[in-house]
Amino acid sequence: MAPRANWKGFLRLSLVTCPVALYPATSESEKISFNQLNRATGHRIKYLKVDADTGDEVPNEDIVKGYKVDTDTFIEVTKEELENVALESTRTIEIDEFVDKADIDPRYLIRPYYLRPDGKVGHDAFAVIRETIREMDKVAIGRVVLTNREHIIALEPLDKGLMGTLLRYPYEVRDPKEYFDEIDDVKVTKDMLDLARHIVEQKAGNFEPDKFEDQYETALVDLINQKRAGKPIVPKDRPKGENVVDLMDALRKSVGGAAAETKAPKRPAKNAKKAKTALASQKEMLMPIAGKKPAKEAAAKKPAAGARRKSA
């Protein structure tokens, strides 16, 4: 079942308009998440919204937004006033221009969304806009209001729908000179480049996301399962960086190492599939630990080492 739309409105190209819905294209709900607990009781921590001066808890209906002018001065802005900042992009994505995808600096990319027709009407108009963008091999640039802020959005065809990528404004992108000016100007010799290029050629491949395993997520699942089973947690040795004394020698050794990796059988796809299966909805953490009682029976028993249960 598709998630709830983040935004609903209209997509417009000149006089061609159709109702559309915008959905998040990515999700992090499958990742392991933690709650904060009171170490002494095992109870969850609850956050309260309190007045900074009086310490009294403030109900949600009495909380308003304020812009800080100086240390003790705020300009109060109500929800109604924010809603009155009426922008056309609040309800309509107006396509302003078409650009080459290569023209969009990757630093401006924020997050992707899926755009599809909303309801049973407007599919024809949506198809015309989609296929026009596809035929021109361009990216359509428009604006959309999400969470009370206007964003630039780049639209491009994806299967039968459109993918919209939110873009940053120039003032949100930091000047690289602040970070790169102090980097030394180093002369890289042709021999070094030749060796480095050889390493790259040996490691060249196609980007296949399924080959990559979220090793940290896998390690978290393993940690939680070990604690549920009451097994001791043994710290692992951390990798230590080595000082490079002779850069040419390091490059030569790297060439040999890359060649050995190329000859050795690769198993990333298998590992990725295993991880994907293991991590799907964190299901394996809900299953009984090997050699233990089923979950319902174990619930009446004493909690496993390292686990906490909320007291009555």
Side-chain angles (χ1 to χ4, degrees):
M1 184 177 179
R4 183 189 303 176
N6 279 32
W7 179 93
K8 288 188 176 184
F10 297 89
L11 176 63
R12 183 163 64 205
L13 173 60
S14 190
L15 298 179
V16 180
T17 304
C18 62
V20 293
L22 196 70
Y23 299 85
T26 59
S27 170
E28 295 193 353
S29 62
E30 298 292 322
K31 287 190 173 183
I32 298 290
S33 59
F34 294 101
N35 291 301
Q36 292 186 319
L37 306 178
N38 180 340
R39 186 193 299 272
T41 65
H43 298 165
R44 288 181 60 182
I45 299 298
K46 180 180 179 181
Y47 288 94
L48 303 176
K49 296 178 180 179
V50 300
D51 187 299
D53 290 334
T54 67
D56 297 332
E57 185 176 356
V58 183
N60 287 333
E61 59 268 21
D62 291 338
I63 297 176
V64 297
K65 295 181 182 293
Y67 176 80
K68 185 175 182 179
V69 179
D70 54 46
T71 305
D72 299 312
T73 307
F74 295 85
I75 296 176
E76 182 179 311
V77 181
T78 67
K79 181 180 179 182
E80 291 74 20
E81 289 171 332
L82 288 173
E83 290 175 349
N84 286 335
V85 182
L87 296 171
E88 180 69 14
S89 51
T90 302
R91 293 294 299 156
T92 302
I93 299 176
E94 176 80 41
I95 296 178
D96 296 323
E97 61 180 350
F98 294 87
V99 303
D100 291 330
K101 188 172 183 179
D103 289 344
I104 301 177
D105 189 321
R107 292 176 298 171
Y108 286 80
L109 305 179
I110 300 179
R111 71 181 67 88
Y113 287 85
Y114 293 143
L115 196 72
R116 74 178 189 188
D118 185 28
K120 297 182 178 180
V121 298
H123 286 246
D124 290 345
F126 183 86
V128 168
I129 296 174
R130 180 195 64 213
E131 294 309 311
T132 300
I133 301 173
R134 196 193 307 272
E135 179 69 21
M136 294 179 64
D137 194 24
K138 297 279 188 179
V139 175
I141 302 296
R143 286 159 293 159
V144 63
V145 171
L146 288 174
T147 60
N148 296 323
R149 298 301 293 261
E150 186 179 57
H151 300 270
I152 308 168
I153 187 167
L155 302 171
E156 54 187 308
L158 182 64
D159 196 15
K160 294 192 295 183
L162 290 170
M163 183 178 75
T165 304
L166 295 190
L167 304 178
R168 295 181 173 89
Y169 287 97
Y171 72 84
E172 297 179 281
V173 178
R174 292 177 174 173
D175 187 346
K177 291 181 180 179
E178 298 178 24
Y179 308 92
F180 300 159
D181 275 357
E182 296 181 5
I183 298 178
D184 294 339
D185 292 325
V186 177
K187 176 65 175 178
V188 180
T189 67
K190 183 178 182 301
D191 288 343
M192 289 182 176
L193 283 176
D194 287 342
L195 285 170
R197 187 180 297 110
H198 191 57
I199 296 171
V200 172
E201 289 172 351
Q202 288 177 323
K203 290 180 173 288
N206 296 317
F207 179 63
E208 299 174 23
D210 287 343
K211 292 193 302 184
F212 296 93
E213 173 189 345
D214 188 340
Q215 297 180 358
Y216 183 72
E217 193 77 1
T218 302
L220 283 179
V221 171
D222 186 52
L223 169 66
I224 293 171
N225 277 332
Q226 287 188 60
K227 292 181 75 69
R228 288 183 67 230
K231 297 179 180 178
I233 305 302
V234 181
K236 296 180 180 180
D237 293 334
R238 294 181 178 272
K240 298 179 180 179
E242 298 180 1
N243 293 328
V244 177
V245 179
D246 187 329
L247 187 55
M248 282 295 292
D249 183 54
L251 285 167
R252 292 190 186 98
K253 290 180 179 179
S254 296
V255 169
E261 285 183 19
T262 304
K263 293 178 181 178
K266 295 184 178 181
R267 294 180 296 175
K270 181 179 178 181
N271 291 338
K273 184 177 180 181
K274 178 182 177 183
K276 186 175 182 181
T277 302
L279 294 174
S281 302
Q282 305 173 13
K283 286 182 178 178
E284 98 289 355
M285 290 200 298
L286 304 178
M287 298 174 68
I289 297 294
K292 296 287 182 180
K293 297 284 186 181
K296 290 184 179 179
E297 295 181 35
K301 303 288 184 179
K302 183 178 178 181
R308 289 190 178 276
R309 296 192 180 277
K310 186 173 180 180
S311 60

